[in-house]
């Protein structure tokens, strides 16, 4: 240690390193953005030089920066900056006011884009027309609003006309154009693939707006202590924005970009050469592009688009044996994964229903046999429903359960899931069962889908308590699946760093790693579990620089 020096030394703290050898230390020394030593405050005196900065942590808790392993952060930031912002619990009157204000602030004939309305908002009698409701707010100007799941939307008549949707438009495979009581006239609701095809026709954001979104995303992320993200659906426009921000020295988070592939019903193989081109073109120091995203199904809400092993409860417009839709058949998915494995890609597969989970596991197992490798840890996103016979397969296939704990507590989207599935909808997110089989498990907010914020502290608390944030008692969502705080924090740091292919660099506070850490306003291990969600980040440090200080940003 005598040959080392430090430009900054942090002393008198409770530094949780996420390292088994030294789980909690008092001090940490940093030089050129790297940790050069940890230990007792007195032990680091030898590293101090004349211009070394001393930072007294005043007994505060310090831990590695948080990594959100599944989110859509720039899309969320762009929505914050440029769209009509709707809360998940907002009623029709409130949304009417929000859309009306957006119309006043927009240009004539400009699209009004917004969201995210709650999944159960339009669970109303068949004589109610969401299209008519929107038409009464604004006509002659297209309006399109997405729901909390991010898989469904609602349009007014002007938007439907601009999208080329009328009474003669057939339902797309894997989706549905909801009709009026006459059975033919679109009522404005577009589910799953119908929503995807609609959004493809809506003008995209500009390059300048995407860059503004990257800046806003970082501001939001740093305020919550987030230093890394997996963008779970990265289009080329997003890849360009991340890459250019990194090239300009502006990117202050680690990004794993799961490259977008065609959404919806598909029987053709992916364009692997194009995926490689995107990977190689937009990879940079802080942007990891060796990931691909595939959607295998929809969501298990009242839209009933996730692929389930057993039918949903009866719903208007659905057959009695309706069990959702698979987007990609097992053979096609197998071939895709095998080829992507051979090219070094990790595949993140959206699997919200237990049938899609099983099909994805089958495809991964067969793909390993074809490619001859199983070292890439593919991820099954939103694997909230898993048949008990499939739970051990995650570990055996080296496959990650990529969960979204932020939506465990009672919320509109959970209510919608129960309305669609009945009591089995409460057997949601089998995290302890997965961990008990040594399955790798990740956590991500999925923001802006399903949650109003990427705030990780909500997810951390509810993983421990399985209750609504802040509640000491009351109902739990499958309480047997609760886990302890130490395990949760590891999942949000070191485990997620591995998923981003950054565990050599970040995720724990040990000698040689980047100084990516956060200072908290409370010791998480000295408070009641129901107080975790209220945690405030006082400082966020990224590569040795303070990128957020509460009260200054």
């Amino acid at each position: 240690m005598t040959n080392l020096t430090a430009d900054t030394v942090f002393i008198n703290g409770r530094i949780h390193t996420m390292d088994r050898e030294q789980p909690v230390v008092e001090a940490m020394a940093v030089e050129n953005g790297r940790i050069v030593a940890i230990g007792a405050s007195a032990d680091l005196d030898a590293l101090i030089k004349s211009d070394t900065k001393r930072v007294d942590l005043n007994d505060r808790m310090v831990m590695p920066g948080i990594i959100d392993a599944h989110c859509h952060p720039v899309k969320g930031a762009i929505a914050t900056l440029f769209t009509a912002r709707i809360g998940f619990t907002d009623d029709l009157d409130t949304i009417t006011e929000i859309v009306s204000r957006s119309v006043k602030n927009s240009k004539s004939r400009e699209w009004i884009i917004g969201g995210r309305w709650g999944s159960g908002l339009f669970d109303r009698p068949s004589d109610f027309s969401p299209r008519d409701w929107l038409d009464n707010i604004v006509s002659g100007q297209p309006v399109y609003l997405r729901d909390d799941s991010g898989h469904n939307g609602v349009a007014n008549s002007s938007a439907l006309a601009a999208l080329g949707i009328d009474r003669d438009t057939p339902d797309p495979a894997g989706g549905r154009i909801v009709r009026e009581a006459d059975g033919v006239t679109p009522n404005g609701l577009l589910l799953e693939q119908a929503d995807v095809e609609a959004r493809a026709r809506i003008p995209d954001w500009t390059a300048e707006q995407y860059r503004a979104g990257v800046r806003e995303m970082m501001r939001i992320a740093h305020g919550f202590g987030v230093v890394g993200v997996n963008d779970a659906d990265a289009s080329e426009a997003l890849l360009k924005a991340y890459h250019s921000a990194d090239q300009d020295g502006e990117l202050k988070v680690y990004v794993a970009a799961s490259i977008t592939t065609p959404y919806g019903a598909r029987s053709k193989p992916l364009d692997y050469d194009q995926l490689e081109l995107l990977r190689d073109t937009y990879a940079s120091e802080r942007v990891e592009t060796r990931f691909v995203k595939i959607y295998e199904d929809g969501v298990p809400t009242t839209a009933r688009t996730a692929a389930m092993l057993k039918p949903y409860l009866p719903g208007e417009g659905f057959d009695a044996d309706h069990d959702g839709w698979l987007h990609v058949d097992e053979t096609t998915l197998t071939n895709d994964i095998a080829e992507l494995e051979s090219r070094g890609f990790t595949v993140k597969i959206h699997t919200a229903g237990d049938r899609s989970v099983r099909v994805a596991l089958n495809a991964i197992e067969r793909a390993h046999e074809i490619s001859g490798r199983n070292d890439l840890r593919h991820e099954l996103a939103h694997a909230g429903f898993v048949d008990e016979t499939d739970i051990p397969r995650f570990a055996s296939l080296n496959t990650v359960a990529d969960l979204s704990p932020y939506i465990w507590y009672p919320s509109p989207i959970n209510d919608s899931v129960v309305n669609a599935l009945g009591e089995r909808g409460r057997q949601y997110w089998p995290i302890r069962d997965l961990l008990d089989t040594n399955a790798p498990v990740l956590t991500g907010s999925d923001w802006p889908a399903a949650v109003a914020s990427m705030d990780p502290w909500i997810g951390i608390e509810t993983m421990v308590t399985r209750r609504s944030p802040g509640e000491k008692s009351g109902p739990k969502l499958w309480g047997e699946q609760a886990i302890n705080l130490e395990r949760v924090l590891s999942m949000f740091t070191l485990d997620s760093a591995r998923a981003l292919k950054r565990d050599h660099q970040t995720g724990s506070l040990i000698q040689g790693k980047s100084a990516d850490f956060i200072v908290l306003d409370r010791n998480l291990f000295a408070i009641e579990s129901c107080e975790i969600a209220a945690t405030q980040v006082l400082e966020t440090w990224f590569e040795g620089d303070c990128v957020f200080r509460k009260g200054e940003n």
Side-chain angles (χ1 to χ4, degrees), residues 40 100 108 115 137 198 251 271 284 328 364 396 399 440 463-464 481 509:
S100 296
S108 177
I137 304 173
L251 194 64
D271 188 338
S284 61
V328 186
I364 290 170
S396 65
T399 297
M463 290 173 72
V464 175
Q481 299 298 324
L509 302 177

Side-chain angles (χ1 to χ4, degrees), residues 364 368 374-379 393-400 440 498:
I364 290 170
H368 288 344
N374 63 359
D375 57 313
L376 295 167
R377 300 197 318 162
H378 303 308
E379 301 167 5
R393 301 178 69 195
F394 282 85
S396 65
L397 294 173
N398 195 27
T399 297
V400 182
R498 181 181 179 187

Side-chain angles (χ1 to χ4, degrees), residues 290-291 337-347 364-365 367-379 394-400 440 498-501 503:
R290 291 176 291 170
F291 296 85
I337 296 171
E339 183 62 27
L340 291 169
E341 282 185 348
S342 71
R343 297 176 185 235
F345 284 102
T346 294
V347 186
I364 290 170
E365 184 171 15
H368 288 344
E369 295 171 357
I370 295 170
S371 71
R373 63 187 299 179
N374 63 359
D375 57 313
L376 295 167
R377 300 197 318 162
H378 303 308
E379 301 167 5
F394 282 85
S396 65
L397 294 173
N398 195 27
T399 297
V400 182
R498 181 181 179 187
L500 264 63
K501 305 184 189 297
D503 51 315

Side-chain angles (χ1 to χ4, degrees), residues 59-352:
D59 207 34
R60 295 288 191 187
M61 178 173 171
V62 173
M63 59 176 283
I66 298 290
I67 296 174
D68 189 328
H70 186 120
C71 58
H72 309 274
V74 175
K75 292 178 181 177
I78 284 175
T80 300
L81 294 173
F82 304 119
T83 73
R85 298 176 61 187
I86 296 168
F88 297 155
T89 60
D90 287 347
D91 59 19
L92 292 179
D93 289 341
T94 302
I95 298 174
T96 296
E97 294 176 6
I98 293 170
V99 174
S100 296
R101 286 198 301 269
S102 294
V103 171
K104 291 179 181 178
N105 295 329
S106 67
K107 298 177 182 178
S108 177
R109 300 187 182 280
E110 182 177 71
W111 280 82
I112 303 297
I113 305 297
R116 310 254 181 156
W117 46 272
S119 291
L121 182 67
F122 297 114
D123 293 345
R124 298 170 183 271
S126 59
D127 60 352
F128 175 80
S129 170
R131 173 182 53 80
D132 286 346
W133 163 68
L134 277 178
D135 286 348
N136 287 330
I137 304 173
V138 55
S139 60
Q141 190 169 356
V143 178
Y144 197 78
L145 311 175
R146 299 186 72 195
D147 79 339
D148 52 7
S149 74
H151 285 247
N152 310 294
V154 62
N156 69 349
S157 293
S158 294
L160 290 172
L163 296 168
I165 297 173
D166 57 27
R167 59 191 294 124
D168 297 321
T169 305
D171 289 349
R176 182 179 171 214
I177 300 169
V178 183
R179 314 285 173 166
E180 302 280 10
D182 62 10
V184 292
T185 306
N187 81 347
L189 287 173
L190 304 177
L191 307 183
E192 200 61 30
Q193 184 64 17
D195 164 72
V196 172
E197 294 181 3
R199 287 186 288 110
R201 300 187 189 107
I202 297 173
D204 197 6
W205 306 106
T206 66
E208 291 75 16
Q209 287 173 314
Y210 274 111
R211 277 297 294 270
V214 172
R215 289 189 289 272
E216 178 68 4
M217 174 272 288
M218 290 191 293
R219 185 191 69 79
I220 294 169
H222 291 156
F224 289 128
V226 174
V227 300
V229 296
N230 185 318
D231 191 310
D233 192 2
S235 64
E236 185 169 8
L238 274 169
L239 293 170
K240 286 180 180 179
Y242 286 131
H243 182 265
S244 61
D246 199 15
Q247 294 297 100
D248 293 344
E250 188 178 9
L251 194 64
K252 301 298 181 181
V253 292
Y254 303 116
V255 175
S258 297
I259 302 173
T260 301
T261 61
Y263 186 99
R266 176 173 60 83
S267 58
K268 295 181 179 180
L270 296 170
D271 188 338
Y272 311 116
D273 291 340
Q274 175 65 14
L275 292 171
E276 281 198 334
L277 178 62
L278 293 173
R279 178 194 66 192
D280 298 342
T281 300
Y282 297 111
S284 61
E285 182 180 356
R286 297 177 185 85
V287 183
E288 172 61 69
T289 56
R290 291 176 291 170
F291 296 85
V292 166
K293 175 66 174 291
I294 296 176
Y295 284 89
E296 183 59 5
D297 67 348
V299 289
T301 63
T302 51
R304 294 170 169 80
T305 56
M308 304 299 296
L309 290 170
K310 297 179 182 179
Y312 287 89
L313 294 179
E316 186 172 341
F318 294 96
D319 295 335
D321 61 350
H322 177 71
D323 56 5
W325 296 298
L326 283 174
H327 290 335
V328 186
D329 65 86
E330 188 173 314
T331 298
T332 301
L333 184 61
T334 297
N335 293 335
D336 281 342
I337 296 171
E339 183 62 27
L340 291 169
E341 282 185 348
S342 71
R343 297 176 185 235
F345 284 102
T346 294
V347 186
K348 186 186 283 286
I349 310 171
H350 175 108
T351 53

Side-chain angles (χ1 to χ4, degrees), residues 540-551:
T540 300
W541 291 71
F542 179 77
E543 296 181 350
D545 292 327
C546 186
V547 293
F548 170 82
R549 182 170 285 118
K550 189 172 177 60

